[in-house]
Structures are given as C-alpha cells and as structure tokens.
C-alpha cells in the first residue's frame, strides 16, 4: 500500500513573531503588529500602541505631513519624525532611541530601540520580518 503524508507548514502565532522574531533578537526593545485598520494583533508587554496611533502611521505612509508636524506617537511616547519611504516610517527620540514601522500587505510591524541598540540593527530586524510576512501573504 502507498501511504500519503500531508505536510502542514508551521506558522507562528502573532505573539510568537513579537517574542521570538523581534524581541528575541535583543535588537528591538518593544514591538507590535497591527492591522492596517489600526487594531492590534500582538504586542510586547507594556507597549500599548493605540489603534489611532497605528492608523496615523499607516496614513503617514501616503501623506506624511501629519507625522512631520506632530511626530510619531507610539504607546504614548512621541518620536521625532525622520523620514518615510513607500512602506516604512522612521523616528527618533533623544540621542539613543527611535522607532520604525513597516507596512506589509495587511499589517504594520512596529519596533522601537533604546539603551545602546543601534537604530540600523533594529530597522533591519523589523524590515526582515515585514519582508517575510509579505512573502507568506500578509
């Protein structure tokens, strides 16, 4: 007899992406994944990005004037707007902290860094997760 084995691809939960793929690197201080509608899918402990804050970032990708004028707000913290690309928003707070938010097809992946973590390292981790999510349809 012939036996068929079905393989089911393993997909992590949204919280596992936060805990393992972002925070687990040691290069992201706080993280969240929100739908493009602003609703939270997963977040790191104590990092409460509101739906309005997430929606402002999504809107800022096409029209950054609001972020340029008022900064990027995440979990009640304000970051100075640095720049935007067609899919990413970058911000800075003080001398050694900042944030990045990267849009995928259905979500935004948000990461912050502080305490000696290099901004470019955090950006690289967040953008790689966003690239992966895009590759699997999210």
């Amino acid at each position: 007899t012939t036996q068929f084995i079905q393989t089911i691809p393993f997909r992590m939960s949204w919280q596992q992406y936060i805990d393992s793929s972002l925070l687990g690197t040691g290069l992201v201080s706080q993280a969240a994944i929100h739908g493009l509608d602003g609703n939270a899918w997963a977040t790191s402990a104590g990092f409460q990005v509101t739906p309005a804050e997430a929606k402002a970032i999504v809107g800022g990708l096409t029209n950054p004037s609001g972020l340029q004028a008022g900064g990027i707000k995440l979990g009640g913290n304000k970051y100075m707007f640095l720049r935007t690309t067609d899919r990413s928003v970058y911000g800075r707070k003080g001398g050694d902290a900042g944030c990045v938010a990267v849009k995928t097809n259905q979500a935004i992946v948000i990461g912050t860094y502080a305490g000696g973590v290099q901004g470019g390292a955090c950006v690289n981790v967040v953008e790689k997760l966003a690239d992966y999510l895009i590759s699997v349809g999210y």
Side-chain angles (χ1 to χ4, degrees):
T1 65
T2 305
Q3 191 172 10
F4 293 96
I5 299 173
Q6 180 181 9
T7 58
I8 301 171
F10 173 74
R11 287 207 183 161
M12 293 194 292
S13 73
W14 295 115
Q15 193 61 48
Q16 286 174 305
Y17 286 120
I18 296 291
D19 297 339
S20 299
S21 300
L22 297 175
L23 300 179
T25 66
L27 301 173
V28 178
S29 303
Q30 297 175 304
I33 300 174
H34 283 247
L36 296 180
D37 61 0
N39 290 317
W41 293 4
T43 187
S44 58
F47 189 50
Q48 300 301 319
V49 177
T50 68
E53 290 170 337
K55 284 170 65 173
I57 291 170
V58 173
L61 289 166
T62 53
N63 182 6
S65 62
L67 298 177
Q68 290 167 337
I72 303 163
K73 295 178 181 79
L74 296 171
N77 291 308
K78 184 177 176 181
Y79 296 83
M80 180 180 71
F81 173 84
L82 293 178
R83 66 185 175 95
T84 186
T85 66
D86 59 337
R87 71 175 199 151
S88 301
V89 173
Y90 305 91
R92 188 99 172 136
K93 182 176 181 175
D96 68 345
C99 66
V100 58
V102 185
K103 181 181 177 241
T104 70
N105 297 327
Q106 299 181 37
I108 56 167
V109 181
I110 302 165
T112 69
Y113 60 92
V117 172
Q118 294 296 316
C122 176
V123 166
N124 189 41
V125 168
V126 174
E127 288 183 342
K128 280 187 178 179
L129 177 58
D131 289 341
Y132 169 75
L133 293 176
I134 290 168
S135 78
V136 296
Y138 286 100

